[in-house]
Amino acid sequence: MTETADRLLDLAEARMRDAGYKGFSFRELAAEIGIKSASVHHHFPTKAGMAAAVARRYGERFFDLVGRRPGETADDVIAIYRSIFRGEIERDGRMCLNGMLGAEAGALPAEVLEEIEIYFRRCIDDLSSRIGGPNAAERAFHVMAALEGGLILARAYGDISAFDNATASLTTSTLAA
């Protein structure tokens, strides 16, 4: 991928994490980096293709960050996920890209939906396998719902403590109860 394509993806990601799929246009991205709109189409023929590429790249980075650690416990895994999610909103006040897009699922092109589904299925599968035990998949869904919901609350309140409050009890002992 070229430097220009990477910059376009970065800008599109920031805008989508802030305002969803409709939060960016090729014209705006082109103006921001000083190229013609046609040049954006050279790198990404369609908006849906660009959004899918952004979602795919976001997921790849996420899974690099939450990768397995030697000797990790189920609570360690939950803490790793929680830390990554918290870092998203703490860093720039923006939502998880796939959470933001997932909320718009009914109005998105199929190729974008496919990337969102891949991301969430992979999160659930990864958490389930690393948390283990009875009802691991259900507990993984609970973790993801609390993390995404915590981001929504923090953004709505304009206060990261809302995320902390929403996710504070995420441990394997509370999930098993």
Side-chain angles (χ1 to χ4, degrees):
M1 191 159 297
T2 68
E3 182 179 331
T4 300
D6 281 335
R7 287 179 59 207
L8 290 166
L9 290 175
D10 290 343
L11 289 171
E13 179 181 325
R15 292 192 179 190
M16 284 190 290
R17 286 184 54 225
D18 198 37
Y21 183 73
K22 293 183 180 181
F24 79 99
S25 71
F26 279 15
R27 183 177 303 135
E28 292 167 338
L29 298 179
E32 189 155 340
I33 63 172
I35 62 175
K36 294 179 190 257
S37 183
S39 296
V40 178
H41 287 278
H42 169 74
H43 295 285
F44 302 98
T46 66
K47 181 176 181 174
M50 176 184 257
V54 169
R56 188 175 319 108
R57 184 182 75 157
Y58 184 90
E60 290 167 1
R61 282 195 325 256
F62 177 82
F63 287 105
D64 285 345
L65 292 171
V66 299
R68 290 184 184 270
R69 276 112 170 132
E72 69 185 13
T73 66
D75 283 337
D76 292 338
V77 174
I78 294 168
I80 291 165
Y81 267 71
R82 185 178 183 272
S83 174
I84 300 304
F85 272 77
R86 189 182 196 281
E88 290 290 301
I89 198 146
E90 184 178 45
R91 183 179 55 254
D92 56 20
R94 293 186 174 119
M95 300 293 296
C96 160
L97 175 75
N98 288 303
M100 183 67 120
L101 293 175
E104 300 178 301
L108 294 176
E111 63 191 291
V112 180
L113 286 172
E114 181 179 339
E115 292 300 328
I116 296 164
E117 183 178 346
I118 288 168
Y119 170 82
F120 282 116
R121 286 188 184 280
R122 190 168 173 199
C123 285
I124 298 301
D125 291 346
D126 182 56
L127 280 167
S128 297
S129 70
R130 292 164 70 188
I131 290 171
N135 304 316
E138 291 165 7
R139 294 182 314 161
F141 274 100
H142 179 112
V143 169
M144 288 303 296
L147 293 173
E148 292 290 358
L151 289 178
I152 292 168
L153 290 169
R155 191 160 189 215
Y157 277 49
D159 184 353
I160 198 157
S161 69
F163 176 86
D164 295 337
N165 289 332
T167 62
S169 66
L170 285 180
T171 63
T172 54
S173 61
T174 59
L175 293 174

